[in-house]
Amino acid sequence: MGHGCGKVILLGEHAVVHGVPAIAAGIDRGADAEVDRATDTELSIGEVRVIPGDGSELGRALSALLAELGAGSVSVRATTCLPVGCGLGSSAALAVAIARAVQALDGDASSERTLAAATAWERVFHGNPSGIDTAAAAQGGCIWFTKASGPEPLRLGLPFTLAVAVAGPAASTRSMVESVARIAERRPEVFQKSLAGIEALVKNARIALEAGDLTGLGRLMDLNQMLLSGLMVSTEEIEFACRLARSAGALGAKLTGAGGGGCVIALVESDPEPVLAAWRAQGLTCFSTHVGAKKE
Ligand code: PMV
């Protein structure tokens, strides 16, 4: 049995691909996997069934993960309660859950090997991932992440609650990352200014998180959302969901992950219900999650 947690990026998505730090948090929803040795390798995720070599991305990802672990043939049954491709790291959570379950067959609990296997899987979907999704899925908690140095756990001054909504159909992370790369190429000066702005916000957010300053953190999230809109990764639906959340009392709201659709996160002072109710009234699928100690 293996588990990988979902994640939200609190600040710094996209910029993290270009070397800027980002802050992510593991969430309590995630993925689980059970693995048995078998004559032929197969993977089922609910109704979906794939085998290596069937031409699917999932099949290729599974092959890459198993090759990285040097594993023989296995039968994998995985489940996830994360919406797929919405910026909550469902693919990384699955990869970490499967890698851990495969490793457990040999009593191997090496987290380096888990990360290497999950990264091999993620490359199939994302081309050139920064690694933040797999790090958050493997580690949980709140992390500071740079492409160069990897994850560093953050000590929170206060636990906090996020409301999460699916603001629109998912976009491919690969194509969103490529569209930001095109902006970087065509307008390098403007892009470098955006990166510098995001870096300042992320660094201040670390200070706010460590001090338990949720009001400050919320403002920084709003500003990060503005800069993400400037990188053309926001949508009308994302902006609408953010506005609803702020009107319902959220301290800050932004997209999380690659954007172009997918999820929005809203930081709340304590009770997520007013934000969730505002979203539900507009037909949005949503839930809340705690980061740090649970509040129940
Ligand atoms: O996989 P997503 O949608 O959570 O996005 C990952 C975050 C990006 O910064 C957009 C890409 C990356 O590899 O860091």
Side-chain angles (χ1 to χ4, degrees):
M1 188 82 180
H3 178 76
C5 61
K7 67 96 191 50
V8 291
I9 297 181
L10 290 175
L11 285 98
E13 53 273 271
H14 285 291
V16 69
V17 175
H18 300 267
V20 164
I23 299 174
I27 61 174
D28 32 29
R29 294 179 176 218
D32 293 291
E34 275 177 4
V35 171
D36 293 304
R37 294 189 205 281
T39 324
D40 296 307
T41 291
E42 63 168 14
L43 162 65
S44 58
I45 308 171
E47 299 291 292
V48 180
R49 188 176 164 277
V50 298
I51 52 172
D54 66 1
S56 68
E57 278 198 325
L58 257 183
R60 287 212 306 282
L62 179 64
S63 300
L65 179 149
L66 294 174
E68 181 65 38
L69 291 175
S73 298
V74 285
S75 160
V76 185
R77 289 165 310 286
T79 53
T80 176
C81 49
L82 293 164
V84 173
C86 287
L88 299 184
S90 58
S91 130
L94 275 169
V96 166
I98 295 169
R100 283 188 171 144
V102 172
Q103 288 176 263
L105 291 176
D106 295 322
D108 167 14
S110 154
S111 52
E112 285 81 21
R113 277 166 53 76
T114 308
L115 266 187
T119 302
W121 162 293
E122 284 288 274
R123 272 204 197 100
V124 173
F125 297 106
H126 295 337
N128 179 28
S130 65
I132 191 168
D133 282 19
T134 41
Q139 199 152 322
C142 209
I143 58 167
W144 174 264
F145 182 93
T146 60
K147 224 173 151 177
S149 309
E152 177 195 334
L154 284 182
R155 239 200 322 261
L156 301 181
L158 273 180
F160 58 88
T161 302
L162 294 171
V164 183
V166 182
S172 128
T173 298
R174 184 196 286 262
S175 67
M176 297 312 292
V177 168
E178 285 170 359
S179 83
V180 172
R182 278 196 295 278
I183 295 182
E185 221 174 270
R186 284 188 199 144
R187 306 177 66 197
E189 278 168 30
V190 178
F191 183 69
Q192 286 308 322
K193 279 189 188 141
S194 294
L195 279 193
I198 293 174
E199 180 160 14
L201 297 177
V202 175
K203 287 183 171 162
N204 282 320
R206 178 177 185 152
I207 296 168
L209 275 167
E210 290 175 341
D213 173 9
L214 299 186
T215 306
L217 178 63
R219 285 204 194 106
L220 294 163
M221 287 168 63
D222 283 344
L223 292 170
N224 194 175
Q225 173 59 26
M226 267 174 50
L227 291 176
L228 285 164
S229 305
L231 295 177
M232 315 298 277
V233 293
S234 190
T235 61
E236 275 303 310
E237 290 85 358
I238 288 171
E239 297 297 334
F240 178 60
C242 289
R243 275 199 305 278
L244 280 177
R246 292 181 197 119
S247 309
L251 300 171
K254 63 183 278 293
L255 65 82
T256 188
C263 282
V264 160
I265 52 173
L267 177 67
V268 298
E269 186 143 20
S270 54
D271 181 10
E273 204 40 48
V275 173
L276 296 176
W279 281 339
R280 273 190 221 111
Q282 297 296 327
L284 297 181
T285 303
C286 51
F287 63 93
S288 64
T289 187
H290 302 292
V291 180
K294 297 214 184 230
K295 289 194 170 174
E296 288 92 3

